[in-house]
Amino acid sequence: MEQVLSDLWQTRTDSPFPGLTTHAFLWTARNALFYSTATDADFAELEALGGISDQYLSHRDEAGPMLAAIAGRFGSALHAPVTELLEIGQHAHVDVPLTGRHVDANDVEIIPTPGHSPGSTCYLVNGAEGKYLFTGDTLILGDSGNWWAGYIPAVGDADALGESLRLLRTLSPDVVISSAFQGDSAVHRIQPKRWTDHIDQALDGLSAGLTSY
């Protein structure tokens, strides 16, 4: 485990395939885990940090055997998009199916952002160091320094993803935390007034048919 912000810790690096890496993130203000782990190697450290009360998946690609293991170890409630219950439910019971934009009892704002996958969902929280936006694979910063829309041809929906990015453009996050990422980190501080530029860069790439994958 590594502390990346005063109230945010990341699990060890997982590599789903070469060139792409992932972390899960524990927001200690609510003991909420965003995304998921590939192994149970960090369970003892997660427990030492207070455990996991709730786990939030951004989309179906994060589902796997560890969902049941996390719920069994920590007694956590699993939050996941209702659109992808069939795929995610093959691995664990979804306690809180998510639909529509709203703020839940943990002060997590649920923001549906379809396009990378039908149920892709972003999460916005008021953290100790500003507003944290968990974008899943909807938006990532590539190792080239460019911001990318997480579009996979023949899998995603480019039109829906474009609309989702335009929705994210209306937000003002201080920190963006993706699930999959390229480069050194998934955690990026956003300079004042640069957020719309980052979104526009991702939209331009999407329109040009470019992909980070």
Side-chain angles (χ1 to χ4, degrees), residues 169 172-174 190-198:
R169 196 180 188 276
S172 300
D174 298 294
I190 304 300
Q191 297 180 7
K193 300 182 180 179
R194 290 300 310 278
W195 175 240
T196 55
D197 294 337
H198 299 330

Side-chain angles (χ1 to χ4, degrees), residues 132-169:
Y132 306 162
L133 179 63
F134 296 87
T135 59
D137 289 351
T138 294
L139 179 72
I140 67 173
L141 180 61
D143 54 12
S144 64
N146 292 331
W147 289 86
W148 297 92
Y151 175 61
I152 303 177
V155 175
D157 183 326
D159 291 337
L161 184 53
E163 288 301 312
S164 294
L165 290 174
R166 283 184 277 273
L167 172 60
L168 294 182
R169 196 180 188 276

Side-chain angles (χ1 to χ4, degrees), residues 40-48 51-52 66-76:
D40 60 1
D42 289 320
F43 278 16
E45 289 184 77
L46 286 163
E47 194 163 56
I52 301 168
M66 282 299 105
L67 296 183
I70 289 168
R73 174 69 174 265
F74 300 102
S76 52

Side-chain angles (χ1 to χ4, degrees), residues 16-133:
F17 53 86
L20 195 68
T21 46
T22 66
H23 296 289
F25 294 88
L26 182 71
W27 181 41
T28 54
R30 292 290 187 275
N31 291 103
L33 186 73
F34 292 89
Y35 317 140
S36 195
T37 63
T39 72
D40 60 1
D42 289 320
F43 278 16
E45 289 184 77
L46 286 163
E47 194 163 56
L49 288 167
I52 301 168
S53 297
D54 297 88
Q55 182 178 12
Y56 292 81
L57 295 191
S58 70
H59 66 298
R60 62 195 180 192
D61 294 347
E62 296 158 4
M66 282 299 105
L67 296 183
I70 289 168
R73 174 69 174 265
F74 300 102
S76 52
L78 180 61
H79 304 240
V82 68
T83 310
E84 297 178 356
L85 287 186
L86 180 62
E87 298 93 336
I88 296 169
Q90 294 175 6
H91 300 281
H93 174 69
V94 176
D95 302 285
V96 186
L98 302 175
T99 180
R101 184 174 178 178
H102 65 281
V103 178
D104 71 8
N106 293 319
D107 294 323
V108 176
E109 183 172 2
I110 286 82
I111 307 173
T113 49
H116 174 75
S117 72
S120 286
T121 301
C122 293
Y123 302 104
L124 185 68
V125 305
N126 290 309
E129 299 185 35
K131 293 182 178 180
Y132 306 162
L133 179 63

